[in-house]
Each structure stands twice: as structure tokens, then as C-alpha cells.
């Protein structure tokens, strides 16, 4: 089997958020949190922000374009309307950053942070509702539980011997490569498809090469069922609930794209070690490039960019009458 352990390690490193992203995200979170906490009304409501989303779950990849801030209101009064929560937070942020940097949406406020390399903070106010949370919408309150999702991710990572989180990141990179940065379904849907496939026992592997091939197959199967059978992904944080994703998500394209990628990932894993270059070439087609690397998955040493073994050149010795292959030029 073509394990390519060193190359998978390098690929994992190549898709990690950049040092600037690692610095900008927590810094912007602290800055926006301080701005909101300075407001007397929000302070009265017990504002208590934490990072959620892909960054909060440690599954972000290079580069980080936005960070989700879950603003828990621990002392929120039940007689205050949902729209008042969003309006209050929006006005506070506009006062600080200006209305050209702040946008109000149905369930959140997005802030473009100055001097943070184009980073956005998505501010999501929330109130406690028994064992889950509720976020405000135009139609009242919507139940959610991102804190529990982070806990489940950590448990799954332990179940898979710390390979689950890096595998999620590789799958997010694969989605960007195969479907495009802005295409839907997005990275969260891929992550939840993987979680579902894991829960169903479809995903296994003792190495990253084996796990990745199995994971792409599992995600492809979940997307096939969504596209063909109307399957709904269960919400692992709330019993009896299902997840909803972006309107207009093209699951038929996702089905076909990931099915092809699954075939390539499995073919790469099944190749013999002496076919490592060909295996790497298939994996490069799945994982592609990012802002810093033409191929996030490197070619093994001893192989040309096309996956073929490099020609071995024998060093010439004094008195050797056998010509060295190649076009020698002097002068």
C-alpha cells in the first residue's frame, strides 16, 4: 500500500492556517468582545463570547477568511425580543467600526476588522434554553448547540487516535480544490458528512492514507444519499433534529465530484510502494493548491512532477570509457 506518511504530514502542515491567521483570529475576537462587553445593556445581559465554527473547533485551513463569535448572554431576560438583541449588538459595532464595516443579517452581524488582512468576525448572540442555545432570527429564536459540537469533535478525534481533525482539514481542502472556494455545499457540510459516515461505521484506518481514502468514500456516500434519496444529516448535538445547510447547495455536483475523488483516493492507497509517484499525483489532483503551495501534497523524493521515477545518473569516474547519458556541453 502507498502510505506516503511523510507526504501526508507535509500536506497537513501546508493547509494549516498561516501564522498571521493564527494571530489575527484570536486578536480580532478579543477586540470585538471587548467592544461588546463595554456596552452597559449587553453587560447587563451577561455577554460571554467564545469562538465557535471551524476556527473554534480547530478545523480551519489556510487561509482563514472569517471567524464565528458565539456571544452567550448568560443573564438574558426572557421578555426581550430577539430583534432587539441583534439591533443592540449591531448599533454598538457600528459605533465602533462604522456602518461600512458592519452588516446585519438574519441571525448574525458581520464585522470587517481593520488591519486584519480582510478577516471578518461573524457575531452570533445567543441565549440559554435548557440544555441547548437559541439564536435570534426574524421569526423568533432558533435552537442550536455549537458548544456541544466542539465536544463531539474532540471525542471523535480521540476515537480515531488524533487522526480525525487532520482528516477533516484535508477534506475541507479537497472540497475547495474540487468545487471551488465559494461553491456550496461548504466546508461545514463536508465535515458533518464525515461525522455521519464515522457514526455509521463507514470510516476506518490506522494511517492517514487509509483513513483519508475511507473518509472520502464515506462523504461521497452521504452526498449520494442526499442527492438521490433526500437523506437528511442528523444533528448530533440535538436528538431528533436534522441539520440544515445553505440554500442552493448543489448536492448532485458534490455527489459526482466526491465519487470521482473517492475512486482516486482508493486507487492511490491501493498502489504498491514502488508506485508512490503515481499515487501522489492522484492525491495532488484531490488536494490541489492554496495561496502558498502549488501542490499541498508533495511529490516523494526520487519522482518527477509527472509521478515517474527520476532517471538514475551514475557518477563518472576517472578512466571510465562509458559515456554519461545526456547532453554534455562544455565551454
Amino acid at each position: 500500500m502507498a502510505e506516503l506518511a511523510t507526504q501526508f504530514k507535509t500536506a497537513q502542515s501546508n493547509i494549516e492556517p498561516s501564522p498571521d491567521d493564527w494571530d489575527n483570529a484570536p486578536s480580532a475576537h478579543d477586540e470585538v468582545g471587548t467592544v461588546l462587553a463595554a456596552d452597559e445593556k449587553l453587560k447587563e445581559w451577561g455577554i460571554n463570547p467564545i469562538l465557535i465554527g471551524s476556527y473554534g473547533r480547530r478545523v480551519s485551513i489556510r487561509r482563514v477568511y472569517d471567524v464565528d463569535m458565539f456571544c452567550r448572554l448568560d443573564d438574558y431576560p426572557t421578555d426581550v425580543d430577539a430583534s432587539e438583541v441583534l439591533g443592540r449588538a449591531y448599533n454598538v459595532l457600528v459605533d465602533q467600526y462604522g456602518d461600512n464595516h458592519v452588516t446585519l443579517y438574519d441571525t448574525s452581524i458581520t464585522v470587517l476588522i481593520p488591519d486584519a488582512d480582510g478577516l471578518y468576525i461573524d457575531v452570533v448572540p445567543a441565549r440559554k434554553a435548557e440544555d441547548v442555545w437559541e439564536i435570534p432570527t426574524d421569526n423568533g429564536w432558533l435552537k442550536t448547540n455549537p458548544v456541544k459540537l466542539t465536544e463531539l469533535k474532540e471525542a471523535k478525534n480521540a476515537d480515531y487516535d488524533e487522526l480525525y481533525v487532520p482528516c477533516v482539514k484535508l477534506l475541507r481542502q479537497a472540497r475547495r480544490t474540487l468545487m471551488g472556494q465559494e461553491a456550496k455545499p461548504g466546508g461545514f457540510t463536508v465535515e458533518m458528512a464525515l461525522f455521519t459516515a464515522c457514526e455509521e461505521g463507514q470510516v476506518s484506518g490506522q494511517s492517514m492514507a487509509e483513513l483519508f481514502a475511507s473518509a472520502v468514500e464515506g462523504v461521497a456516500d452521504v452526498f449520494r444519499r442526499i442527492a438521490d434519496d433526500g437523506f437528511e444529516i442528523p444533528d448530533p448535538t440535538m436528538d431528533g433534529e436534522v441539520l440544515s445547510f445553505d440554500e442552493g447547495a448543489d448536492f448532485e455536483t458534490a455527489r459526482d465530484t466526491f465519487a470521482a475523488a473517492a475512486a482516486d483516493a482508493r486507487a492511490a492507497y491501493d498502489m504498491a510502494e514502488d508506485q508512490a509517484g503515481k499515487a501522489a499525483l492522484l492525491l495532488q489532483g484531490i488536494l490541489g493548491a492554496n495561496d502558498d503551495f502549488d501542490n499541498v501534497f508533495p511529490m516523494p523524493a526520487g519522482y518527477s512532477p509527472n509521478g515517474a521515477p527520476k532517471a538514475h545518473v551514475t557518477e563518472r569516474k576517472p578512466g571510465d570509457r562509458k559515456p554519461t547519458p545526456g547532453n554534455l556541453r562544455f565551454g
Side-chain angles (χ1 to χ4, degrees):
M1 302 298 179
E3 294 287 351
L4 295 168
T6 299
Q7 287 69 41
F8 267 105
K9 281 286 187 184
T10 301
Q12 291 164 219
S13 175
N14 289 347
I15 62 174
E16 281 293 311
S18 69
D20 284 344
D21 284 338
W22 282 125
D23 291 341
N24 287 336
S27 175
H29 167 263
D30 291 343
E31 177 184 321
V32 172
T34 299
V35 170
L36 292 170
D39 178 71
E40 289 301 322
K41 181 59 68 175
L42 292 175
K43 186 187 301 183
E44 178 185 324
W45 292 344
I47 189 167
N48 181 17
I50 58 170
L51 285 172
I52 59 168
S54 60
Y55 190 90
R57 292 193 304 280
R58 298 190 299 113
V59 295
S60 288
I61 60 174
R62 185 177 309 203
R63 76 169 285 266
V64 178
Y65 295 98
D66 57 74
V67 176
D68 297 319
M69 175 186 282
F70 197 61
C71 292
R72 299 167 295 182
L73 302 172
D74 293 334
D75 300 318
Y76 183 77
T78 57
D79 59 343
V80 176
D81 186 77
S83 61
E84 185 175 341
V85 177
L86 281 172
R88 186 77 186 191
Y90 173 75
N91 290 333
V92 170
L93 293 170
V94 167
D95 287 344
Q96 176 67 26
Y97 296 104
D99 57 10
N100 59 326
H101 284 76
V102 183
T103 305
L104 178 64
Y105 294 99
D106 290 344
T107 60
S108 65
I109 304 111
T110 297
V111 186
L112 175 61
I113 303 300
D115 304 319
D117 196 21
L119 180 71
Y120 287 86
I121 296 286
D122 291 325
V123 177
V124 184
R127 70 178 186 183
K128 192 67 175 173
E130 297 179 351
D131 58 345
V132 298
W133 293 87
E134 291 180 332
I135 59 176
T137 72
D138 287 344
N139 299 315
W141 296 89
L142 176 68
K143 288 185 178 181
T144 186
N145 205 355
V147 179
K148 179 66 174 178
L149 190 60
T150 299
E151 296 171 359
L152 291 173
K153 180 269 306 179
E154 291 293 342
K156 193 66 69 183
N157 198 41
D159 290 343
Y160 282 86
D161 197 24
E162 306 299 315
L163 294 177
Y164 177 79
V165 165
C167 189
V168 169
K169 294 185 179 187
L170 289 171
L171 283 169
R172 283 176 170 263
Q173 174 66 24
R175 188 209 66 84
R176 282 190 187 179
T177 297
L178 299 171
M179 301 187 66
Q181 171 67 33
E182 302 301 326
K184 303 299 180 183
F188 177 67
T189 311
V190 171
E191 182 183 346
M192 289 297 94
L194 174 61
F195 187 93
T196 300
C198 290
E199 289 286 277
E200 295 173 344
Q202 293 195 58
V203 181
S204 62
Q206 298 301 309
S207 67
M208 182 54 76
E210 184 181 12
L211 184 67
F212 182 70
S214 180
V216 181
E217 291 170 338
V219 170
D221 180 68
V222 172
F223 284 167
R224 176 193 59 77
R225 284 183 281 157
I226 293 174
D228 296 350
D229 306 326
F231 174 71
E232 294 181 297
I233 296 181
D235 187 335
T237 70
M238 295 187 288
D239 292 340
E241 300 292 332
V242 295
L243 294 172
S244 59
F245 302 108
D246 303 283
E247 291 185 12
D250 187 353
F251 282 103
E252 292 184 356
T253 296
R255 172 199 62 199
D256 298 342
T257 299
F258 271 83
D264 285 347
R266 179 56 60 185
Y269 178 69
D270 287 342
M271 286 180 177
E273 288 292 340
D274 61 2
Q275 295 179 299
K278 292 182 178 180
L281 201 62
L282 288 173
L283 292 166
Q284 285 180 349
I286 297 172
L287 294 171
N290 61 18
D291 291 345
D292 298 296
F293 300 95
D294 290 336
N295 281 301
V296 300
F297 195 94
M299 186 62 63
Y303 290 88
S304 299
N306 65 358
K310 292 181 178 178
H312 179 69
V313 178
T314 303
E315 182 182 355
R316 294 188 65 178
K317 299 177 181 177
D320 191 350
R321 293 172 180 257
K322 185 177 180 180
T324 300
N327 185 16
L328 297 181
R329 297 180 186 274
F330 299 91

